[in-house]
Amino acid sequence: MIKRSAIILFLLVFVGFSNASLHAQRKSKKKTEIAEIKGAKEIAVSPKLVVGIVVDQMRYDYLTRFWDHYGEGGFKRMINDGFNCKNNHFNYAPTYTGPGHASVYTGTTPAVHGIIGNDWYDKFADESVYCARDNSYHSVGTTSKAGEMSPHRMLSTTMTDQLRLHTQMQGKVIAVAIKDRGAVLPGGHAANAAYWFNGGDEGNWITSTYYMDDLPEWVKDFNSKRSVDTYKKPWTTLKDINTYVESGTDYNNYEGLWKGKTTATFPYDLEALWDDNGKYSILASTPYGNNLTTDFALAALENESLGEDNITDFLAISYSSTDYVGHKWGVNSKEVQDTYIRLDQDLERLFKSLDAKVGAGEYTVFLTADHAAVHVPAYLKDQKIPANYIDQADIKAKLNDYLKFTFGSTEIIKNVSNDQIFLDHKVVRNLDMDLADIQNKIAQELILYNGIYKVYTANQMWQNNYTKGIPNILQNGYNQKRSGDILIVYDPASISYSKTGSTHGSPWMYDTHSPLLFFGKGIKKGSTINRTEIPDIAPTISALLGMAFPSGTTGKPLVEVLE
């Protein structure tokens, strides 16, 4: 009897476990099927609008230094509600505006996309060229040559190009910046329009016949309303200047001067300074240039009907004024601090407009920079931190003496630009010497000079595959057809520049560490201190949208950023 009861109990328990197991399996299968269906639906995220924001010359620490002065709706909204890549870097040099914008949008480096500087020496044409200049097109909106631009020197497609292709040219791409290169390169080759600001006597937004033969009526209306004239006013600090304790003193020896002003101190009476400092061009060197950029971007948002249907559009905005302010007054200036506090308000204004027009949660934004910047070396030296100014005249004199003694002529050098030396290969051939040998000899001479930290040759760039450190950064910036024969790296915080204001261009951390924020549809909330790199942005946005990556992509999608 006991055995029979035990057997029955065993069978009941077994059946119960079996049923429970079967139920669990069915439940799991159902969850899997739901997940697969959901996954099929979410194979790509389709925000109505992607907004790409590049802040010219923005260091990462501008987020943290000025944090307490920011409102809740700009930088803080992006960080609190989005994803913050805290250890984001440019992985190439030189770090300039042209290469920066191209790298953000192509997902690769100058080695591939070919924009090796703002200007560079063209070895084949034997002339200096500008990254966006194209005299085969004409200006639209001005009689000057300021509109003779196109992206023809950029060799790779951009994420904006890929969006146009992916949507059968139905997704709109509009690019806006004070600087021409800040609009032309992000817009890509297939943009509907790229607009930039022409200062001087005009103060108008213009474009190129590369995009259109005549300005749209809304742009003509924007220009004719002369809202730009409202910014012809004094520049004073937005908040009490005594609260700007995160920057240096207002009066110091490290800042540049405008003509007609004896000290680099607040306030700045723009009307009094107007005629001697480029008239409308002076606005680019104030926060008002960013205000004007936001005004025009919002006009584009409205009049181009961006984000109004289910086909993704793209608005590329570059805030150029931060770079002009940094160059004139420097990283540690109250002018820079005030510019970023005011930029934060511009971002809030932009996001509120996007919420109202496109819909909160219906758009995706990324924000980054095109390069960062060095502290003014004169300031660093006064703080007993190693820094210096490069004496280019001394280097040139010494090198010329060496060239005369070794090769009998200085004509072996054709051009020096972007910290690169271009040799005259015809002269080299006439000397009946090996090119690599000459490169090495000159490099070995240069490394002896004060202020020079490293020297590499084109032959080294060709023959080796560098995977880390400065040689890797240089190699990523080295384009075989466009770059020079000898590449020079100066000591940290050693620059060839004026004794006032900040600059950039080096492979050092102060020039490479820049912000990278993602926010909006399809973006996780969080942050990472893992290293990310500028070429990662384009494949991340491309993966989000489910479209092909730009043709030259070498970056990787940032998995931790995407939902």
Side-chain angles (χ1 to χ4, degrees), residues 65-92:
R65 275 176 57 199
F66 309 143
W67 180 260
D68 291 339
H69 291 274
Y70 294 145
E72 297 300 318
F75 288 118
K76 285 185 176 179
R77 182 179 176 186
M78 291 198 75
I79 290 174
N80 293 334
D81 295 343
F83 199 94
N84 180 12
C85 299
K86 299 180 179 180
N87 186 23
N88 183 64
H89 291 270
F90 288 85
N91 62 339
Y92 66 85

Coordinates of all heavy atoms in Angstrom, one line a residue, residues 65-92:
R65 N 33.8 72.0 -16.6 CA 34.2 73.3 -16.0 C 33.0 74.3 -15.8 O 32.9 74.9 -14.8 CB 35.3 74.0 -16.9 CG 36.7 73.5 -16.6 CD 37.7 74.2 -17.5 NE 37.6 75.6 -17.5 CZ 38.1 76.5 -18.4 NH1 38.6 75.9 -19.5 NH2 38.0 77.8 -18.3
F66 N 32.2 74.3 -16.8 CA 31.1 75.3 -16.8 C 29.7 74.7 -16.4 O 28.7 75.4 -16.6 CB 31.0 76.0 -18.2 CG 32.3 76.6 -18.7 CD1 32.6 76.5 -20.1 CD2 33.2 77.1 -17.9 CE1 33.8 77.0 -20.6 CE2 34.5 77.6 -18.3 CZ 34.7 77.6 -19.7
W67 N 29.8 73.5 -16.0 CA 28.5 72.7 -15.7 C 27.5 73.5 -14.8 O 26.3 73.5 -15.1 CB 28.9 71.4 -15.0 CG 27.7 70.5 -14.7 CD1 27.1 70.3 -13.5 CD2 27.0 69.7 -15.7 NE1 26.1 69.4 -13.7 CE2 26.0 69.0 -15.0 CE3 27.2 69.4 -17.0 CZ2 25.2 68.1 -15.6 CZ3 26.3 68.5 -17.6 CH2 25.3 67.9 -16.9
D68 N 28.0 74.1 -13.8 CA 27.1 74.8 -12.8 C 26.4 76.0 -13.4 O 25.4 76.5 -12.8 CB 27.8 75.1 -11.5 CG 28.2 73.9 -10.7 OD1 27.6 72.9 -10.9 OD2 29.2 74.1 -9.9
H69 N 26.9 76.5 -14.5 CA 26.3 77.7 -15.2 C 25.3 77.3 -16.2 O 24.6 78.2 -16.7 CB 27.4 78.5 -15.8 CG 28.3 79.2 -14.8 ND1 28.0 80.4 -14.2 CD2 29.5 78.8 -14.2 CE1 28.9 80.8 -13.4 NE2 29.9 79.8 -13.4
Y70 N 25.3 76.0 -16.6 CA 24.4 75.6 -17.7 C 22.9 75.4 -17.1 O 22.7 75.0 -16.0 CB 24.8 74.3 -18.3 CG 26.1 74.4 -19.1 CD1 27.1 73.3 -19.1 CD2 26.5 75.5 -19.8 CE1 28.3 73.4 -19.7 CE2 27.7 75.6 -20.5 CZ 28.6 74.5 -20.5 OH 29.8 74.6 -21.1
G71 N 22.0 75.7 -18.0 CA 20.6 75.4 -17.6 C 20.2 73.9 -17.8 O 21.1 73.1 -18.1
E72 N 19.0 73.6 -17.6 CA 18.6 72.2 -17.7 C 18.2 71.7 -19.1 O 18.1 70.5 -19.3 CB 17.4 72.0 -16.7 CG 17.6 72.2 -15.3 CD 18.7 71.3 -14.7 OE1 18.7 70.1 -15.1 OE2 19.6 71.8 -13.9
G73 N 18.1 72.7 -20.0 CA 17.6 72.3 -21.3 C 18.6 72.1 -22.4 O 18.2 71.8 -23.6
G74 N 19.9 72.4 -22.2 CA 20.9 72.3 -23.2 C 21.8 71.2 -23.1 O 21.4 70.0 -23.2
F75 N 23.1 71.5 -22.7 CA 24.1 70.4 -22.5 C 23.6 69.4 -21.4 O 23.7 68.2 -21.6 CB 25.4 71.0 -22.0 CG 26.2 71.7 -23.1 CD1 26.4 73.1 -23.0 CD2 26.6 71.1 -24.2 CE1 27.1 73.7 -24.0 CE2 27.3 71.7 -25.2 CZ 27.6 73.1 -25.1
K76 N 23.0 69.9 -20.4 CA 22.5 69.0 -19.3 C 21.4 68.1 -19.7 O 21.4 66.9 -19.3 CB 22.1 69.8 -18.1 CG 23.2 70.4 -17.3 CD 22.7 71.1 -16.0 CE 23.8 71.6 -15.2 NZ 23.4 72.3 -13.9
R77 N 20.5 68.5 -20.6 CA 19.5 67.7 -21.1 C 20.1 66.5 -21.9 O 19.7 65.4 -21.8 CB 18.5 68.5 -21.9 CG 17.3 67.6 -22.5 CD 16.4 68.4 -23.3 NE 15.3 67.6 -23.8 CZ 14.4 68.0 -24.7 NH1 14.3 69.2 -25.1 NH2 13.5 67.1 -25.1
M78 N 21.1 66.9 -22.7 CA 21.7 65.8 -23.6 C 22.4 64.8 -22.7 O 22.3 63.6 -23.0 CB 22.7 66.5 -24.5 CG 22.1 67.3 -25.6 SD 23.3 67.6 -27.0 CE 23.2 66.0 -27.8
I79 N 23.1 65.2 -21.6 CA 23.8 64.3 -20.8 C 22.9 63.5 -19.9 O 23.0 62.3 -19.7 CB 24.9 65.1 -20.0 CG1 26.0 65.6 -20.9 CG2 25.5 64.2 -18.9 CD1 27.0 66.5 -20.3
N80 N 21.9 64.2 -19.3 CA 21.0 63.5 -18.3 C 20.0 62.6 -19.0 O 19.7 61.5 -18.5 CB 20.2 64.6 -17.5 CG 21.1 65.3 -16.6 OD1 22.2 64.9 -16.1 ND2 20.7 66.6 -16.2
D81 N 19.6 62.9 -20.2 CA 18.6 62.1 -20.9 C 19.2 61.3 -22.1 O 18.5 60.6 -22.8 CB 17.5 63.0 -21.5 CG 16.7 63.7 -20.3 OD1 16.8 63.2 -19.2 OD2 16.0 64.6 -20.6
G82 N 20.5 61.5 -22.3 CA 21.1 60.8 -23.4 C 22.4 60.0 -23.0 O 22.4 59.5 -21.9
F83 N 23.3 60.0 -23.9 CA 24.5 59.1 -23.7 C 25.8 60.0 -23.8 O 25.9 60.7 -24.8 CB 24.6 58.0 -24.6 CG 25.5 56.9 -24.2 CD1 25.0 55.8 -23.5 CD2 26.9 56.9 -24.4 CE1 25.9 54.8 -23.0 CE2 27.7 55.9 -24.0 CZ 27.2 54.8 -23.3
N84 N 26.7 59.9 -22.8 CA 27.9 60.8 -22.8 C 29.1 59.9 -23.0 O 29.4 59.0 -22.1 CB 27.9 61.5 -21.5 CG 29.2 62.4 -21.3 OD1 29.9 62.6 -22.3 ND2 29.4 62.9 -20.1
C85 N 29.9 60.1 -24.0 CA 31.1 59.4 -24.2 C 32.2 60.3 -23.7 O 32.7 61.3 -24.3 CB 31.4 59.1 -25.7 SG 30.1 58.1 -26.5
K86 N 32.7 60.0 -22.5 CA 33.6 60.8 -21.7 C 35.1 60.8 -22.2 O 35.9 61.7 -21.9 CB 33.6 60.5 -20.3 CG 32.2 60.6 -19.6 CD 32.2 60.2 -18.1 CE 30.9 60.4 -17.5 NZ 30.9 60.1 -16.0
N87 N 35.4 59.8 -22.9 CA 36.8 59.6 -23.4 C 36.9 59.5 -24.9 O 37.4 58.5 -25.5 CB 37.3 58.3 -22.7 CG 38.8 58.1 -23.0 OD1 39.6 59.0 -23.2 ND2 39.2 56.8 -22.9
N88 N 36.3 60.5 -25.5 CA 36.2 60.6 -27.0 C 37.4 61.4 -27.6 O 37.8 62.4 -27.1 CB 34.9 61.2 -27.4 CG 34.7 61.2 -28.9 OD1 34.6 60.2 -29.5 ND2 34.7 62.4 -29.5
H89 N 38.0 60.8 -28.7 CA 39.2 61.4 -29.2 C 39.2 61.4 -30.7 O 38.6 60.6 -31.4 CB 40.4 60.7 -28.7 CG 40.7 60.8 -27.3 ND1 41.5 61.9 -26.8 CD2 40.3 60.2 -26.2 CE1 41.5 61.8 -25.4 NE2 40.8 60.7 -25.1
F90 N 39.9 62.4 -31.3 CA 40.4 62.4 -32.6 C 41.5 61.4 -32.7 O 42.4 61.4 -31.9 CB 40.8 63.7 -33.1 CG 39.6 64.7 -33.3 CD1 39.1 65.4 -32.3 CD2 39.0 64.8 -34.5 CE1 38.0 66.2 -32.4 CE2 37.9 65.6 -34.7 CZ 37.4 66.3 -33.6
N91 N 41.5 60.5 -33.7 CA 42.6 59.5 -33.8 C 43.5 59.8 -35.0 O 44.1 58.9 -35.5 CB 41.9 58.1 -34.0 CG 41.1 58.0 -35.2 OD1 40.7 59.0 -35.8 ND2 40.9 56.7 -35.7
Y92 N 43.6 61.1 -35.3 CA 44.5 61.5 -36.4 C 45.0 62.9 -36.1 O 44.5 63.6 -35.2 CB 43.8 61.4 -37.7 CG 42.7 62.5 -37.8 CD1 43.0 63.8 -38.2 CD2 41.4 62.1 -37.5 CE1 42.0 64.7 -38.2 CE2 40.4 63.1 -37.4 CZ 40.7 64.4 -37.8 OH 39.7 65.4 -37.8

